[in-house]
Amino acid sequence: MMNLLRQHAEQQFAEELHELKKNETNPVPENWEMSPQSVVTYLMGGTLKNGFEVSPKYIGNRRLMEIAVATLVTDRALLLYGLPGTAKSWVSEHIAAAVSGDSTLIVQGTAGIGEEAIRYGWNYARLLAEGPSEGALVQTPVMKAMQEGKIARIEELTRIGSDVQDTLITILSEKTLPIPELNKEVQAIRGFNVIATANNRDKGVNDLSSALKRRFNTVILPLPDSIEEETDIVRRRVESFEKVMSLPSERPALEEIRRVVTIFRELRQGVTCDGKSKLKSPSGTLSTAEAISVVNNGLAMAGYFGDGVIHAEDLVSGILGAVIKDPVQDKVVWQEYMETVVKKRDGWKDIYRASRDFI
């Protein structure tokens, strides 16, 4: 497992999941690995009765996680909705790992996806040789989740065409999957449910039908409330990345992470942190996920092409790549920010110089 680039949540946090199950004192729904209360503890972190420390996977409003987990005990599916980079997929994966012990039953939504990716497909060689048969049937992650009583995950639901989306209606309302070619159906067993994600930048691409919306309980995941919260998220994810990648560089100073987060928050919100200066916002989202990527890239630059210590020049290329998506409009936004904010800010001259040299 150690040489995997990225482990599944149930592999990476196997010890925590084991301890939570071992210390369980609350009622556990049928086919769940642990109680809803323990799932929320796994997500938010905490100290168990035996002193074991559970690390937080989601840093934010606990009530949102309680609503999300409680939804999965009901007959409603869960839709995690929000801006890109607000940890929708991350939360989806960890909820599935805690509830089912398996986060791998996933359908990746794309514009070209067909019904067979959600309902079932066919092994066409066997279909031609045998005709429609159970042996020729290809199970989808959704079908497997129904049969095993687990959580199925659907990423980027609104990127899927509306006609394909609606194949979920019978599955979510009747908890059955008809297979008319075999004159049979798959009935979901207890524990089955669906977690879907969608980002509001895709609004209007393939909006959900009103019938499908009624089958979901929507939980909106917001951007981090404060700079401290967002800095902590970036720090934890960067430390996890650094551990996996074994980069030949020192951990980034918290102040460097804070500077990246500050830049992203100010440009995203269109105002400086002190509220004194209004700013133009670039066309990109400048999400927390992109801030994590910038710091990770800076670590790689410092480790392989620097002195092993992360500096402004190691971060600037990543910052510019995240901010300047439109080479004309966004470049003007960035240069204005550099001259009116960064240049005048105490201790930020190194970022100003590195950016000016790079551009």
Side-chain angles (χ1 to χ4, degrees):
M1 290 294 182
M2 294 305 293
N3 64 349
L4 292 177
L5 186 60
R6 185 187 185 280
Q7 294 181 327
H8 297 303
E10 59 271 22
Q11 298 169 332
Q12 185 178 355
F13 297 97
E15 184 182 10
E16 292 187 11
L17 293 168
H18 173 74
E19 288 294 330
L20 282 161
K21 287 187 281 187
K22 189 172 73 174
N23 287 272
E24 186 62 74
T25 57
N26 295 300
V28 179
E30 193 170 350
N31 281 330
W32 279 41
E33 294 283 301
M34 61 186 73
S35 68
Q37 296 95 322
S38 294
V39 175
V40 173
T41 300
Y42 171 73
L43 292 168
M44 301 301 300
T47 304
L48 304 185
K49 290 181 180 179
N50 64 354
F52 184 87
E53 287 286 337
V54 177
S55 63
K57 318 302 178 301
Y58 178 77
I59 298 172
N61 190 325
R62 184 183 186 91
R63 193 61 174 170
L64 288 178
M65 295 300 101
E66 291 174 346
I67 294 168
V69 173
T71 295
L72 297 172
V73 187
T74 72
D75 63 346
R76 301 280 292 280
L78 173 64
L79 176 63
L80 299 175
Y81 187 72
L83 285 167
T86 48
K88 300 181 296 296
S89 297
W90 178 258
V91 170
S92 169
E93 178 185 3
H94 283 283
I95 292 178
V99 171
S100 300
D102 185 358
S103 64
T104 65
L105 299 175
I106 180 170
V107 176
Q108 178 59 57
T110 67
I113 199 172
E115 288 186 17
E116 67 278 0
I118 293 176
R119 297 175 68 237
Y120 53 87
W122 296 100
N123 178 326
Y124 288 104
R126 295 191 65 173
L127 184 64
L128 290 171
E130 306 170 6
S133 66
E134 290 194 26
L137 195 70
V138 176
Q139 292 185 343
T140 63
V142 174
M143 179 186 281
K144 189 173 182 183
M146 293 177 73
Q147 292 175 326
E148 297 179 3
K150 293 184 176 181
I151 300 293
R153 300 167 55 209
I154 301 178
E155 290 289 299
E156 305 291 354
L157 180 60
T158 50
R159 289 189 179 274
I160 300 173
S162 299
D163 54 335
V164 179
Q165 288 176 8
D166 286 345
T167 61
L168 283 168
I169 291 175
T170 301
I171 294 171
L172 296 181
S173 59
E174 305 296 329
K175 302 298 187 278
T176 62
L177 174 57
I179 310 175
E181 296 91 339
L182 301 181
N183 196 29
K184 62 174 288 187
E185 64 180 10
V186 172
Q187 290 182 292
I189 68 170
R190 292 183 184 273
F192 166 72
N193 214 323
V194 171
I195 305 176
T197 66
N199 81 69
N200 56 10
R201 283 294 178 102
D202 288 337
K203 191 173 183 180
V205 177
N206 291 300
D207 286 337
L208 304 185
S209 66
S210 58
L212 188 54
K213 282 180 181 176
R214 289 197 302 272
R215 272 72 181 182
F216 281 100
N217 188 29
T218 301
V219 173
I220 299 174
L221 297 186
L223 291 164
D225 286 335
S226 67
I227 191 169
E228 289 76 19
E229 190 177 283
E230 190 164 2
T231 299
D232 192 33
I233 293 169
V234 176
R235 177 187 64 80
R236 289 175 182 275
R237 294 290 298 275
V238 167
E239 287 179 358
S240 175
F241 171 83
E242 186 185 17
K243 184 178 179 181
V244 171
M245 299 304 294
S246 301
L247 295 173
S249 56
E250 294 183 8
R251 285 185 178 181
L254 193 60
E255 185 55 35
E256 294 300 336
I257 295 176
R258 189 181 180 87
R259 291 204 292 182
V260 173
V261 170
T262 299
I263 291 169
F264 277 35
R265 287 182 73 87
E266 289 183 330
L267 288 173
R268 192 168 67 212
Q269 295 171 352
V271 65
T272 53
C273 288
D274 58 13
K276 293 180 180 179
S277 302
K278 289 189 175 181
L279 305 167
K280 293 177 182 175
S281 294
S283 58
T285 57
L286 298 183
S287 67
T288 308
E290 288 169 294
I292 294 165
S293 179
V294 166
V295 179
N296 284 341
N297 185 71
L299 280 172
M301 291 291 291
Y304 292 108
F305 303 105
D307 60 5
V309 179
I310 198 164
H311 299 290
E313 54 266 30
D314 300 315
L315 293 170
V316 161
S317 62
I319 293 171
L320 293 178
V323 173
I324 303 176
K325 303 297 187 186
D326 183 312
V328 177
Q329 178 186 334
D330 292 342
K331 188 175 181 180
V332 172
V333 171
W334 175 251
Q335 288 177 322
E336 186 176 305
Y337 177 71
M338 293 299 299
E339 296 298 330
T340 60
V341 179
V342 176
K343 187 178 182 180
K344 299 176 182 178
R345 188 168 277 166
D346 290 341
W348 283 44
K349 292 290 191 296
D350 54 343
I351 290 182
Y352 177 77
R353 288 193 299 267
S355 175
R356 186 183 59 192
D357 293 345
F358 193 88
I359 289 177

